[in-house]
Amino acid sequence: MTTATDTTPAETKADKSHSRGQSSAGTAAVPPVRTRRSGIWLAAAIVLVLLGAIGGAFVYTTASNTEQVFVAASTIARGDTIDRDDLTTIALAAGQTTQAIPVARADDVIGKIAAGDIAAGGMITQSDLTTSLPVPSGQALVGLELKSSQLPAQTLVGGDEIVIVPVATQSATGVPTTVDPSTTVQATVSQVRTSANTTGTVVVDVYVDARSAANVASLAAAGGVAIYLSPAN
């Protein structure tokens, strides 16, 4: 009697061992998922976002707590009448101790007279302003309207020490007046400004000895004076 046999070849030990090796190698090729590092990066990103929000809030708060104050846009000479073109502004942190004048008080600055020289960029304070310059005791303030030929080429500024010299002029009859050029008068410049008329003249306000004021004013009205800077300048 013949017995039927299985024709399927039996799996050898070597085959089984090779199969297990492939399975083991295939499993080892897949790296494990590292969730811990991803969590650290996520936390760092959240911290950065929070820091950015805090920084933005700080900048906004700082910017909204500033005050605009007046500073000189260019040098303002003593005696100059201050107008809007003479001014610019800067921002100061609110609460900062300063004597600067805020832009909301523009009327306190524009139209006022500089009590002293104000350097470009200098903050404008109340002590820098006046409605009129005081006349020193024993002196008088006289205005001289002069042409370029009666002035030194150097621009005059408040505080300059000058000498006023009488010069000959034509009288009403056309006869030249006689003057003594040696009768000079010492003076100090108060302020210098362009004349309001269209003749291109310059008005120089000067302090002179009160006893000489009447004579200087009379000569100046007739155009009979010239000035020069004293040797000390």
Side-chain angles (χ1 to χ4, degrees):
M1 182 176 177
T2 305
T3 305
T5 60
D6 189 357
T7 60
T8 302
E11 185 179 17
T12 65
K13 290 183 179 181
D15 292 336
K16 290 181 179 180
S17 176
H18 178 68
S19 176
R20 284 195 300 269
Q22 284 182 334
S23 176
S24 176
T27 302
V30 179
V33 178
R34 298 185 178 182
T35 59
R36 184 176 180 183
R37 177 170 293 180
S38 298
I40 292 174
W41 283 112
L42 178 60
I46 293 172
V47 170
L48 288 175
V49 171
L50 290 175
L51 288 175
I54 293 171
F58 175 77
V59 170
Y60 173 80
T61 301
T62 301
S64 61
N65 284 280
T66 58
E67 185 175 46
Q68 295 289 324
V69 299
F70 285 118
V71 297
S74 57
T75 299
I76 302 173
R78 177 182 180 275
D80 283 353
T81 298
I82 299 172
D83 59 33
R84 189 64 187 85
D85 292 338
D86 294 321
L87 304 171
T88 185
T89 64
I90 60 170
L92 294 181
Q96 183 173 338
T97 302
T98 176
Q99 299 298 315
I101 300 174
V103 294
R105 292 168 50 198
D107 290 343
D108 291 350
V109 181
I110 298 173
K112 297 300 189 294
I113 295 172
D117 292 342
I118 306 172
M123 287 191 294
I124 309 296
T125 66
Q126 201 62 51
S127 62
D128 293 321
L129 309 172
T130 185
T131 55
S132 62
L133 294 175
V135 178
S137 177
Q139 295 191 320
L141 184 65
V142 179
L144 312 176
E145 187 169 358
L146 306 171
K147 298 179 293 186
S148 59
S149 59
Q150 297 168 283
L151 291 162
Q154 178 176 316
T155 302
L156 297 173
V157 296
D160 279 343
E161 298 295 330
I162 63 170
V163 178
I164 301 173
V165 183
V167 296
T169 60
Q170 294 286 335
S171 67
T173 60
V175 179
T177 58
T178 302
V179 296
D180 181 2
S182 65
T183 56
T184 59
V185 177
Q186 299 290 326
T188 302
V189 174
S190 171
Q191 63 175 321
V192 182
R193 64 186 185 279
T194 303
S195 176
N197 60 40
T198 58
T199 60
T201 55
V202 174
V203 176
V204 183
D205 287 340
V206 297
Y207 297 118
V208 298
D209 187 285
R211 294 168 296 184
S212 304
N215 187 47
V216 170
S218 177
L219 289 172
V225 297
I227 63 176
Y228 64 85
L229 284 165
S230 68
N233 291 280

